[in-house]
Amino acid sequence: MNEHIARQLREAAEAHQPDRARMLTRVQRGAAGPVVRHRARSGLRSWPKLALAGLAAVGALATGGLAVAGITPWTPQPTDTVTTAPAEPSPTAIPTPTRSAPPPAAPAPAVTTPPTATPAVPRPTASASSRTQNGPLWAEGSIDPHSTVYWAQNDLTLRTTQPLTALTVELRVAQTGDVRDTGNWRTLPVDDFTVSVQESGGALLYRWVLKPGRTVPAGQHEFAAQYNHATGVRGSTNDGYRVEAQSAGGSASVWGGFPPGR
């Protein structure tokens, strides 16, 4: 068959609407008795008739197939079923047990440290053997803080509220063992004083005498005696000073001692 006939056959098969009831009746009838075959007429048929006969045969085959499909009992086929696994329950946040805060610790008792007493620097006290102030004069003796176990310096601070026209300053350093002079100084001009150092009565005596015609101005002035001594802490309780002065207001004098040194 050519392509045109094949297309006609397909179109005829697609347009055919089978009568299922009729076909079922025919099948049942055929099953009940022998099939009556008709002898085909002999002779040649024309080509159009032959084509129509072929088309009819194809239609019969299609009809028979549909009929068989119609009477065949339908059996449900197992279908692929997708089993969906139950969703896992989302993890529920388990609340973490919280511990209650411990009660605040009782504050530790404050440790009170008794204040450390600062040792007061010994100061000369007025007594029958000392007079630190008289008229315009005031004086105080001390041991220089730079003194050591081998060497020491006795300092005398002198203040005057009036100019002095005469002045004599004496520092007495008791002989406590190997006491020897190593020098002296004052804050007033060197040329205004005559200075001497000598041993007298078991002590070194340092003396400063204001030269005639010189004047000591009002204010504060320093005098110092330097010396070596035996190794160790040296006692200065037997050391002392004395000051004699003259001013417009008259004569004045002060004296005293030195606190324990080293």
Side-chain angles (χ1 to χ4, degrees), residues 21-111:
R22 183 176 179 182
M23 288 187 295
L24 181 59
T25 301
R26 292 180 62 183
V27 170
Q28 292 175 350
R29 185 182 305 164
V35 178
V36 178
R37 297 183 180 270
H38 299 279
R39 186 182 301 267
R41 284 185 291 178
S42 61
L44 297 176
R45 298 181 178 177
S46 65
W47 171 251
K49 292 183 178 181
L50 180 62
L52 291 178
L55 182 60
V58 172
L61 291 176
T63 303
L66 291 177
V68 171
I71 61 176
T72 302
W74 176 78
T75 303
Q77 299 295 325
T79 59
D80 294 336
T81 58
V82 178
T83 304
T84 303
E88 296 183 1
S90 59
T92 304
I94 301 175
T96 303
T98 57
R99 299 182 180 179
S100 57
V111 178

Side-chain angles (χ1 to χ4, degrees), residues 88-147:
E88 296 183 1
S90 59
T92 304
I94 301 175
T96 303
T98 57
R99 299 182 180 179
S100 57
V111 178
T112 304
T113 304
T116 304
T118 303
V121 177
R123 302 178 65 87
T125 57
S127 64
S129 61
S130 67
R131 184 171 71 182
T132 60
Q133 186 169 2
N134 179 236
L137 299 179
W138 176 92
E140 180 181 49
S142 62
I143 303 299
D144 191 273
H146 296 96
S147 300

